[in-house]
Amino acid sequence: MKRYKVVTSQDTVFWGGSLNSDAFEERLNSAAAEGWELVTTTTVESQGFMGERHQLFFVFAQDAGA
């Protein structure tokens, strides 16, 4: 059985609408050290108060026993 974790673009890796690649790399390495593996990414677009909004989702998985 697997467990899943979702990290979004609001979870400290993005500032001002742009990707901070160093922070994102650190987040990926941290998750990997905890036994998480990146499974997929997806983008969600929605209408917000200030116009169109794009949010990225990163899905991680790990074996339940880890």
Side-chain angles (χ1 to χ4, degrees):
M1 179 179 225
K2 294 221 181 249
R3 298 182 327 155
Y4 294 91
K5 174 195 290 198
V6 176
V7 176
T8 72
S9 56
Q10 293 179 338
D11 294 339
T12 70
V13 296
F14 291 80
W15 290 277
S18 62
L19 174 65
N20 178 318
S21 60
D22 290 335
F24 181 58
E25 182 178 316
E26 184 176 314
R27 183 72 168 110
L28 286 175
N29 288 330
S30 175
E34 296 172 4
W36 294 98
E37 181 179 335
L38 182 64
V39 176
T40 191
T41 62
T42 189
T43 304
V44 175
E45 298 178 17
S46 61
Q47 284 297 108
F49 179 71
M50 301 295 284
E52 193 170 317
R53 179 177 167 190
H54 303 275
Q55 188 167 356
L56 298 174
F57 288 79
F58 306 90
V59 181
F60 295 85
Q62 78 174 186
D63 291 327

